[in-house]
Amino acid sequence: QVQLVESGGGLVQAGGSLRLSCAGSGRPLSSYGMGWFRQAPGKEREFVAAITWSNIITTYADSVKGRFTISRDNAKNTVYLLMDNLKPEDTAVYYCAGRRLPGIYIYGYEYDYWGQGTQVTVSS
């Protein structure tokens, strides 16, 4: 059984940066496929980034490619999302997700575990 807790959200001006953290407990996340999703008010949940067992194999949504970086530190049982050059359209609740099988998953329904989310607000 795995629990995921996000942190690091907040209010930032456009062009600024934030680093989100997803801390796992219960079991090691080293063999889990992990991802970040976001949901803005009135919109559907949107894929942001995903990572498999290593920091080399990653996938990003086109809207964040070149600005966001997903990484993981298995020794700390934590997944990160570094967000640079933030834009107002990045404003959303950001969720961390994990699947028990290694791999890259981009749809959302594949995941077994979800965090409660952390709010990111980008002002213009």
Side-chain angles (χ1 to χ4, degrees):
Q1 188 66 40
V2 169
Q3 291 179 307
L4 303 174
V5 179
E6 303 95 335
S7 63
L11 176 64
V12 64
Q13 290 186 348
S17 299
L18 286 173
R19 189 181 75 162
L20 306 183
S21 297
C22 173
S25 62
R27 293 180 181 272
L29 301 177
S30 57
S31 64
Y32 283 52
M34 303 295 297
W36 287 95
F37 293 77
R38 66 187 183 186
Q39 188 167 21
K43 296 185 178 180
E44 297 295 317
R45 182 181 61 198
E46 177 187 22
F47 168 75
V48 176
I51 187 169
T52 186
W53 60 269
S54 77
N55 287 305
I56 299 175
I57 305 174
T58 58
T59 301
Y60 298 91
D62 288 341
S63 59
V64 306
K65 191 174 298 181
R67 298 189 297 120
F68 291 12
T69 304
I70 186 172
S71 63
R72 65 195 302 167
D73 186 338
N74 289 329
K76 297 180 179 179
N77 216 35
T78 300
V79 181
Y80 303 98
L81 184 69
L82 176 62
M83 304 182 294
D84 292 320
N85 191 24
L86 283 161
K87 304 175 181 180
E89 52 263 42
D90 294 319
T91 295
V93 177
Y94 284 71
Y95 298 92
C96 175
R99 186 176 183 179
R100 289 169 291 179
L101 296 175
I104 296 290
Y105 310 105
I106 65 171
Y107 297 110
Y109 58 76
E110 312 99 324
Y111 288 93
D112 301 300
Y113 305 103
W114 292 84
Q116 296 301 306
T118 185
Q119 177 71 48
V120 173
T121 303
V122 184
S123 64
S124 60

